[in-house]
Amino acid sequence: MLYSNRITSNDRGESMSKIIDLRSDTVTQPSSEMRAVMSRAVVGDDVFGEDSTVNELQQMAAELCGHESALFLPTGTQSNLVGLMAHCQRGDEYICGQQAHTYKYEGGGAAVLGSIQPQPIEFEADGTISLERVERAIKADDFHFARTRLLTLENTTAGKVLPLDYLQQTRDFCDQKQLGLHLDGARVCNAAVKQQVPVSRITRYFDSVSICLSKGLGAPVGSVLCGSAELIVNARRWRKVVGGGMRQVGILAAAGIFALQNNIERLAEDHSNAARLAQGLAEIDELKVDPEVVQTNMLYVSMAPERFQELRSAMHEIGIVLDSRQPVRMVTHLDINTADVERVIAAFKRFFMAR
Ligand SMILES: *Cc1c(COP(=O)(O)O)cnc(C)c1O
C-alpha cells in the first residue's frame, strides 16, 4: 500500500479526504515552497567542497548548535555512524541507551562498520541514562577490555525531553572521566521548542550532535552533524569512506535550509496536536494512554490485541494510517493539522462505541 498521495479519491475520481499518516514524522511531503527553493538552488561538487548551498546549510547548522563546524549527510544513521567513528578508534567502546537508535535501530553499524563496541545501559523512565550506571560500566585501562571513550544520549527519546540540569551533570561527568559526549539529536529541535530555549542551549554540552532534517522539520532527506572543526574534518573523511560523499547535493541542502528557517518554531503545533490527541483518546475506556507523559510530538497507545488489528483496518479504510506494533506510536507532524486530530479522535470514538 502506498501513502504517497495525500488525497484519496473514490473510483469516480472524486476527492474524498486526506490521508492522516500517524506512523512517523518522516512521512511529511516537501511543501511547494520547499520544492521551489530546491529547484532554484545553486549547486557545485560537494566532495570538492564547492556546493555553496551545502556550505550555507552547514554554516547555519553549526550556528544553530553553537559549534564550530557542521557536515551534511544523507541520513541520521550515517550521521551518528560517522560521528561515532570520529570519536572512537577500532577497539574503543561507546556507552548508549539499551533502546537507543544508534544501538538498536542502525543495524549495529558502529560495531559492524566502525569496529566500535557498544555498551548499552537501560534508559531511566525519563529518557536519561543514570550516570552511576555509566560510571560502573566504564572499563579499567586493561588490555582485556575495550577502551571506553564515549557516551551517547538521545534527545528527544521516545518523545521525552532530557532535563537541562541533567545535561550539565553529564558534561561535568564526561570531563571528569575523560569521555567524549555525542548527542543523537534527531529531534533535538522538538526538545528546544518544548523547553523554550535556543537549540544551542541543549547542544552546547555535547562534543558532537546529529540532527535530522527529514523528521519534524519536513525536509525530504538529510541530517547534519555538528562539532569542532577537528571532529568534522575527521567525520568528513569517514563520510567518504562509508559512501556518503555526494555531488550537486545543494538541491537537498536547500530543503534543509528552508526547514531550519521555517519549520522549527512551528513544532509547537505538533506538540499541542499530540497533547490534544492523547487527551481525546484517553476518553476511550478501551485505550491505555497517559496524556500526562506526552511532552513533544509522540504518544503511545495500547489496547487489547484483538481490537488492535480490527481498529487498524477500520482506520485504514478511512485514510488514517497507524503503526503495526503495540503500544502504537502516534506521531504528529507538518502534514497533520488540528482538524485532522479531531477527525482521528472522532473516528476512534465511533469505532469503540459501535460495539
Ligand atoms: C530517525 C532517527 C535517526 C536517524 O534515522 P535515519 O532514518 O537514518 O535518518 C537517528 N536517531 C533517532 C532517535 C531517530 O529517530
Side-chain angles (χ1 to χ4, degrees):
M1 171 58 89
L2 293 174
Y3 302 112
S4 53
N5 296 326
R6 293 164 73 188
I7 307 294
T8 54
S9 54
N10 64 16
D11 48 12
R12 291 187 304 280
E14 290 161 351
S15 157
M16 288 163 69
S17 57
K18 174 183 162 184
I19 299 246
I20 303 174
D21 193 339
L22 287 158
R23 291 171 302 167
S24 179
D25 48 8
T26 57
V27 301
T28 56
Q29 295 276 325
S31 64
S32 49
E33 297 90 335
M34 181 179 273
R35 287 170 190 262
V37 299
M38 292 171 76
S39 72
R40 288 194 301 267
V42 177
V43 297
D45 190 326
D46 180 52
V47 172
F48 300 162
E50 290 173 5
D51 189 304
S52 59
T53 308
V54 172
N55 293 338
E56 187 187 338
L57 170 64
Q58 291 175 163
Q59 176 98 38
M60 272 180 77
E63 275 166 27
L64 181 76
C65 285
H67 285 206
E68 269 176 353
S69 196
L71 188 65
F72 182 52
L73 301 108
T75 63
T77 297
Q78 192 178 89
S79 180
N80 279 323
L81 174 65
V82 304
L84 295 182
M85 289 174 84
H87 281 280
C88 298
Q89 307 285 319
R90 178 187 177 91
D92 287 351
E93 174 182 81
Y94 79 107
I95 297 175
C96 57
Q98 184 74 48
Q99 307 296 328
H101 202 281
T102 51
Y103 174 61
K104 198 171 170 190
Y105 299 94
E106 296 178 8
V112 175
L113 304 169
S115 302
I116 308 163
Q117 164 170 289
Q119 168 62 68
I121 294 180
E122 211 57 55
F123 279 125
E124 302 299 308
D126 64 357
T128 62
I129 301 177
S130 149
L131 298 178
E132 275 151 38
R133 289 197 193 198
V134 175
E135 182 161 18
R136 273 182 264 134
I138 296 174
K139 288 158 190 63
D141 180 7
D142 175 325
F143 62 48
H144 291 89
F145 304 138
R147 290 169 301 238
T148 311
R149 282 274 191 250
L150 181 70
L151 173 62
T152 68
L153 299 179
E154 194 171 294
N155 195 11
T156 63
T157 181
K160 288 174 272 196
V161 180
L162 301 184
L164 292 170
D165 58 353
Y166 170 75
L167 300 184
Q168 178 69 61
Q169 287 157 19
T170 306
R171 178 72 261 173
D172 295 343
F173 172 88
C174 288
D175 287 344
Q176 197 193 330
K177 303 291 177 190
Q178 294 181 297
L179 295 183
L181 183 56
H182 172 77
L183 180 65
D184 178 354
R187 298 187 178 85
V188 70
C189 296
N190 293 82
V193 165
K194 176 66 185 180
Q195 289 172 319
Q196 298 186 298
V197 295
V199 174
S200 62
R201 177 75 179 80
I202 297 172
T203 52
R204 68 184 190 195
Y205 297 109
F206 295 86
D207 300 304
S208 53
V209 178
S210 169
I211 302 179
C212 286
L213 303 165
S214 57
K215 303 255 164 101
L217 298 181
V221 175
S223 281
V224 280
L225 180 71
C226 303
S228 68
E230 191 189 349
L231 183 129
I232 294 300
V233 166
N234 203 354
R236 186 184 301 277
R237 156 171 279 279
W238 288 123
R239 183 187 67 173
K240 191 75 181 91
V241 172
V242 298
M246 299 177 287
R247 303 296 175 173
Q248 285 72 26
V249 71
I251 286 184
L252 297 176
I257 292 171
F258 182 90
L260 292 180
Q261 284 171 338
N262 297 283
N263 293 345
I264 295 181
E265 293 307 316
R266 66 148 305 283
L267 291 170
E269 295 169 36
D270 298 343
H271 300 172
S272 62
N273 283 336
R276 169 65 192 134
L277 184 56
Q279 186 204 22
L281 297 183
E283 290 166 11
I284 301 171
D285 289 341
E286 288 89 339
L287 299 182
K288 221 176 98 200
V289 53
D290 184 359
E292 296 291 309
V293 303
V294 177
Q295 296 180 23
T296 57
N297 66 335
M298 275 180 208
L299 51 138
Y300 291 83
V301 182
S302 36
M303 69 204 78
E306 59 280 10
R307 296 314 301 279
F308 177 47
Q309 284 321 319
E310 265 180 76
L311 172 76
R312 258 192 100 220
S313 31
M315 291 303 124
H316 200 188
E317 275 170 28
I318 56 171
I320 297 171
V321 186
L322 300 175
D323 196 15
S324 59
R325 283 164 305 177
Q326 286 227 62
V328 194
R329 186 183 78 160
M330 296 191 189
V331 189
T332 52
H333 51 72
L334 202 54
D335 292 346
I336 294 181
N337 61 31
T338 308
D340 298 332
V341 167
E342 296 305 332
R343 202 182 124 206
V344 173
I345 295 169
F348 270 58
K349 286 187 174 168
R350 270 198 312 278
F351 175 83
F352 284 104
M353 277 156 199
R355 316 274 140 162

